[in-house]
Amino acid sequence: MKKLFSVILLAVLVLAAANTAFAAVRIGISMPTQSLQRWNQDGSNMKQRFEAAGYEVDLQYANNNVALQVSQIENMILNGADVLVISAIDGASLGTVLAVAKDEGIPVIAYDRLLMETDAVSYYATFDNYMVGTIQGKYLVEALDLENRTDPVNIEITAGSPDDNNARYFYQGAIDQLMPYIEAGKVVIPSGQIEFEQVATLEWSSERSQARMDNLIAAYYAGGRKLHAVLCSNDSTALGVTNSLIGAGFTKEEFPLITGQDCDVANTKNIITGYQAMSVFKDTRTLAERVVTMVQAIVNGEEPEVNDTETYFNGVFVVPTYLCEPVFADINNYEELLIESGYYTREQLQN
Ligand code: BGC
């Protein structure tokens, strides 16, 4: 009897030890919303890659609701997350829950959007946000031939959400390209709305950017003034602007050049039909892979690779960052970039 008891005890101890030794590392992934295509891709790409590498994943989307994001992260911590990967709705709103993560010794990676006003973020992985804007601005300079033309062009500007730290980088990158031509009078902004605060779009909402464009058209273009381009920071705002222009009767032949970012399906279709001029491709597979590599390094007790230690001050410190490279996309290269690379199927992009 005693012997049997010892054997059982031994077995229990061995099993417990094995369980501790092999307990999978748990990754809590908090994404801002499912309402925009890219975050669904980001979430599912990361989940897939982490699981393939043997991690356990708790993936949550917060429906653009800050309180919900906070409670989802609290639950991840309660459920024993070992590492957190977070893309914030409002970068400055997570300080309290992140302080808890820090107390528990949980490393936090800011995914795509920087976590602001906190010392609890360990690393940041994103695409070069300023370069996204630079690509959009450069595109307009070239497509409108601003260097050589003598007649001025009319453009309007739409930017992203003021609570997203990225939005100002996109805006600034593009404005820095256009500013010499604005100052020279070659680019005119008939609405006069140029400051970030005037052109920002809360929550990157298509409905809001559409409503604002409706107002701009009514106020400044009703008399038939030509609109050459609308600088839009991303695809969701571009979609709203495009819908507004179509609604106001702009035809494909006189359609302004619309910029974007993300290569969302709806926008890529618009590129194919001629309603959007370009987008910036940020391959979510690349970013997901980068974050998995970073987490692996952290779990192995190594320093993850970073390539920027100067740019991303979050109000408390400069967060060590890995910047991936964004890529220009338009009608001429979308097949290679998006279809041949396996990002989309040809069927997905059919109108
Ligand atoms: C991302 C963009 C995206 C936007 C709206 C930004 O933080 O970097 O890719 O279009 O959020 O979701």
Side-chain angles (χ1 to χ4, degrees):
M1 189 63 192
K2 211 170 161 196
K3 198 169 170 203
L4 181 66
F5 178 74
S6 316
V7 169
I8 292 173
L9 185 65
L10 188 66
V12 167
L13 287 176
V14 167
L15 280 176
N19 200 28
T20 319
F22 296 118
V25 175
R26 281 179 76 84
I27 316 291
I29 304 178
S30 170
M31 293 283 112
T33 175
Q34 269 188 304
S35 68
L36 250 73
Q37 187 198 319
R38 70 153 295 180
W39 303 113
N40 294 286
Q41 279 165 331
D42 286 287
S44 61
N45 275 333
M46 259 191 294
K47 184 169 159 55
Q48 219 173 35
R49 277 166 205 264
F50 273 123
E51 285 177 349
Y55 295 91
E56 242 173 56
V57 173
D58 180 1
L59 166 62
Q60 305 287 335
Y61 295 89
N63 200 17
N64 266 338
N65 176 332
V66 173
L68 180 60
Q69 185 161 43
V70 170
S71 79
Q72 287 176 338
I73 297 171
E74 280 167 358
N75 281 330
M76 288 173 189
I77 296 173
L78 282 176
N79 292 336
D82 297 296
V83 180
L84 290 170
V85 177
I86 300 173
S87 191
I89 297 160
D90 173 345
S93 65
L94 300 177
T96 310
V97 68
L98 291 179
V100 177
K102 189 173 181 197
D103 284 349
E104 302 266 327
I106 303 172
V108 174
I109 296 184
Y111 184 91
D112 196 77
R113 296 175 173 173
L114 188 53
L115 293 160
M116 307 300 288
E117 308 299 338
T118 173
D119 66 352
V121 51
S122 320
Y123 297 96
Y124 179 32
T126 189
F127 285 85
D128 188 331
N129 295 303
Y130 183 82
M131 196 192 283
V132 169
T134 306
I135 293 172
Q136 295 166 336
K138 272 203 167 122
Y139 167 75
L140 289 181
V141 169
E142 280 164 27
L144 294 166
D145 195 20
L146 294 180
E147 213 30 65
N148 301 310
R149 73 185 302 149
T150 47
D151 58 320
V153 294
N154 296 324
I155 76 164
E156 294 296 340
I157 300 166
T158 297
S161 197
D163 52 7
D164 177 352
N165 187 57
N166 292 351
R168 282 186 175 74
Y169 284 90
F170 302 144
Y171 166 84
Q172 204 56 51
I175 290 293
D176 285 350
Q177 294 300 314
L178 294 173
M179 197 43 100
Y181 303 98
I182 296 174
E183 281 169 355
K186 283 192 173 189
V187 169
V188 177
I189 300 164
S191 69
Q193 297 179 12
I194 182 174
E195 297 303 323
F196 177 80
E197 285 68 24
Q198 296 174 298
V199 299
T201 312
L202 188 64
E203 291 178 349
W204 298 90
S205 143
S206 301
E207 291 72 23
R208 288 193 175 94
S209 68
Q210 179 164 353
R212 178 167 168 269
M213 195 66 219
D214 287 347
N215 289 337
L216 293 183
I217 294 170
Y220 304 100
Y221 298 90
R225 179 190 264 145
K226 171 123 180 112
L227 175 60
H228 294 81
V230 186
L231 170 72
C232 299
S233 282
N234 86 329
D235 277 355
S236 61
T237 51
L239 205 58
V241 166
T242 301
N243 290 341
S244 166
L245 291 164
I246 292 174
F250 281 75
T251 62
K252 222 181 273 176
E253 292 65 42
E254 50 159 6
F255 218 71
L257 299 175
I258 309 289
T259 66
Q261 159 182 204
D262 295 332
C263 290
D264 281 351
V265 166
N267 299 74
T268 309
K269 286 182 177 180
N270 278 348
I271 289 180
I272 296 169
T273 49
Y275 284 123
Q276 185 169 321
M278 58 81 73
S279 191
V280 178
F281 182 44
K282 304 197 301 187
D283 193 329
T284 53
R285 297 170 298 191
T286 312
L287 190 56
E289 201 174 288
R290 172 54 50 188
V291 170
V292 173
T293 311
M294 279 180 147
V295 169
Q296 270 165 338
I298 294 173
V299 169
N300 293 337
E302 296 155 10
E303 280 289 316
E305 185 190 346
V306 292
N307 60 11
D308 184 307
T309 51
E310 285 170 11
T311 311
Y312 287 100
F313 180 68
N314 78 343
V316 178
F317 74 117
V318 177
V319 183
T321 298
Y322 193 97
L323 293 177
C324 302
E325 204 180 318
V327 178
F328 172 84
D330 73 354
I331 187 76
N332 297 313
N333 69 352
Y334 82 91
E335 292 207 311
E336 186 192 334
L337 274 187
L338 303 175
I339 299 176
E340 285 159 30
S341 79
Y343 202 69
Y344 295 137
T345 61
R346 198 169 287 282
E347 290 65 44
Q348 277 175 289
L349 299 180
Q350 246 145 32
N351 273 288

